[in-house]
Amino acid sequence: MPESWVLHVDLDQFIAAVEVARHPELRGKPVVVGGNGDPAERAVVATASYEARAFGIDSGMPLRLAAKRCPEAVFLPSDPPAYEEVSERVFAAVREFPVVVEVMGWDEGFIGARTGDPEELAGRIRAAITERTGLSSSVGIGDNKLRAKLATGFAKPAGVYRLTEENWAEVMHERPTEALWGIGRKTSKKLAELGVSTVAELAAADPKALAARFGPTMGPWYRILALGVGDTEVTSTPWVARSRSRETTFQENLTDPAEMAAEIRKLAERVTQDVLAEGRPAVRVAVKVRFAPFITQTRSLTLPAPTTDGGELERAALAVFDRFEVRRPVRLLGVRAEFTPPDSA
């Protein structure tokens, strides 16, 4: 009898792969995508090909550092419209199967399926993606979303892996807590301070002690993650952006508050255009400031009422910016408009 499964499909080195597909001559070369494609400018890596990652280049790394680590790398500008178009073709191919598809972003999505052979289905999905777009993908198979998502990490690159309650302890228990989807480096460090370093130790931890350290909601939830418990429902609701943001990295640090405020206004204007294009009002505005040498802070405020009005968004962004103590030169400014989550709209 067919069983219910959750599959997680992840496109391998997606952005870099799209660029290589557009420029076949780059195949096998270290490719780095980010900013305007100029490593002399201040910008960060959006993605890097596996060949570039071999030099220690990761997403979020300054392009200048990436160029130092791999001077022979090919640097390309980011092209979001191209990535979105390819992503739509990928998931159109997946939807041709008798499955439910929940897109999580350009390069990943969950698949709900009933089948007696999930590996066979995963193989056919991977083949369809490659045939339609030329891209490689990895598929994680699980009995819930958490395990399917984690399984994809073991499937990469270009493979299939199954992680369920059956092999959870064998695969995960000796791994660090940071290996869990939902626990980052900072939380992992705080857990270690409690004497909890592995997934097994977290699974056996006292929920009350975790609640005392991380709060009544997050503390027990971390233990639930360690037990491998997760959501099993895959919905076909289209992926909807939670926010729209714009930011600028300055080639020369800003030191004049008036100049900073002028840049905030420009960013707010660009974000307003994105909000109008989205067709949904913003409910919250956030501002990001990166001080020299590389200290990043973010502050935000909830708007009195949902709005698409550019003047309101600009005033809110400036009000948030006023909350910062600007005692250092500024190398980056960003403005973000957040929307009401679709399920609460």
Side-chain angles (χ1 to χ4, degrees):
M1 292 292 291
E3 297 178 77
S4 294
W5 294 96
V6 177
L7 280 62
H8 177 259
V9 61
D10 193 300
L11 300 169
D12 300 328
Q13 53 174 4
F14 173 63
I15 294 176
V18 171
E19 293 294 351
V20 170
R22 299 164 80 188
H23 308 283
E25 70 277 8
L26 300 180
R27 191 172 304 280
K29 296 182 179 181
V31 175
V32 178
V33 181
N36 294 318
D38 184 355
E41 294 186 358
R42 283 181 171 175
V44 298
V45 175
T47 193
S49 65
Y50 288 129
E51 292 81 3
R53 294 178 195 180
F55 289 86
I57 298 174
D58 297 312
S59 298
M61 175 182 292
L63 289 182
R64 290 178 179 177
L65 177 56
K68 288 181 179 179
R69 292 192 174 183
C70 184
E72 63 268 36
V74 178
F75 288 84
L76 298 173
S78 183
D79 187 359
Y83 312 143
E84 186 168 346
E85 187 274 330
V86 174
S87 176
E88 289 175 353
R89 285 196 283 130
V90 166
F91 289 105
V94 177
R95 289 190 181 93
E96 293 179 2
F97 290 84
V99 298
V100 178
V101 180
E102 183 176 347
V103 179
M104 303 301 291
W106 283 341
D107 62 347
E108 66 172 324
F110 287 106
I111 299 169
R114 289 188 61 81
T115 175
D117 190 346
E119 279 81 6
E120 187 271 342
L121 174 61
R124 288 194 290 128
I125 288 173
R126 291 189 61 250
I129 291 172
T130 299
E131 180 180 355
R132 189 71 59 88
T133 66
L135 299 181
S136 170
S137 61
S138 299
V139 178
I141 299 169
D143 44 11
N144 60 42
K145 286 182 174 179
L146 170 67
R147 289 179 174 138
K149 170 78 172 181
L150 292 174
T152 313
F154 297 105
K156 282 185 168 291
V160 176
Y161 191 88
R162 184 194 295 201
L163 181 62
T164 65
E165 182 180 8
E166 200 171 293
N167 63 342
W168 176 260
E170 175 189 350
V171 174
M172 296 298 299
H173 269 190
E174 298 309 311
R175 296 184 180 274
T177 56
E178 193 178 343
L180 292 168
W181 181 34
I183 295 183
R185 190 172 301 171
K186 291 182 179 179
T187 300
S188 183
K189 185 177 180 181
K190 292 177 182 177
L191 285 167
E193 293 170 357
L194 295 177
V196 177
S197 298
T198 67
V199 172
E201 290 170 346
L202 181 55
D206 180 359
K208 292 182 180 179
L210 294 172
R213 180 65 180 86
F214 299 99
T217 300
M218 297 306 297
W221 182 67
Y222 291 143
R223 179 174 176 272
I224 289 172
L225 290 180
L227 293 170
V229 178
D231 185 12
T232 59
E233 183 181 6
V234 178
T235 64
S236 59
T237 303
W239 177 78
V240 178
R242 295 184 179 181
S243 64
R244 290 296 182 186
S245 62
R246 294 284 183 165
E247 60 183 44
T248 300
T249 301
F250 306 105
Q251 301 311 308
E252 298 290 337
N253 292 339
L254 301 186
T255 56
D256 182 359
E259 189 175 356
M260 297 174 197
E263 293 294 337
I264 291 290
R265 291 189 185 92
K266 292 178 185 177
L267 290 166
E269 182 179 356
R270 294 171 64 193
V271 168
T272 296
Q273 295 304 312
D274 294 336
V275 168
L276 291 170
E278 189 72 26
R280 298 157 59 204
V283 298
R284 192 173 184 83
V285 171
V287 172
K288 178 167 73 172
V289 180
R290 180 165 295 151
F291 299 100
F294 211 82
I295 302 168
T296 305
Q297 297 178 359
T298 302
R299 292 179 175 36
S300 63
L301 65 77
T302 300
L303 297 168
T307 184
T308 59
D309 182 78
E312 290 291 329
L313 296 177
E314 178 184 305
R315 283 190 288 275
L318 289 170
V320 176
F321 181 65
D322 283 342
R323 297 179 179 180
F324 290 88
E325 292 186 14
V326 183
R327 297 178 178 176
R328 293 170 176 264
V330 169
R331 59 180 292 158
L332 176 148
L333 289 171
V335 173
R336 181 177 73 245
E338 300 176 1
F339 306 114
T340 302
D343 58 359
S344 60

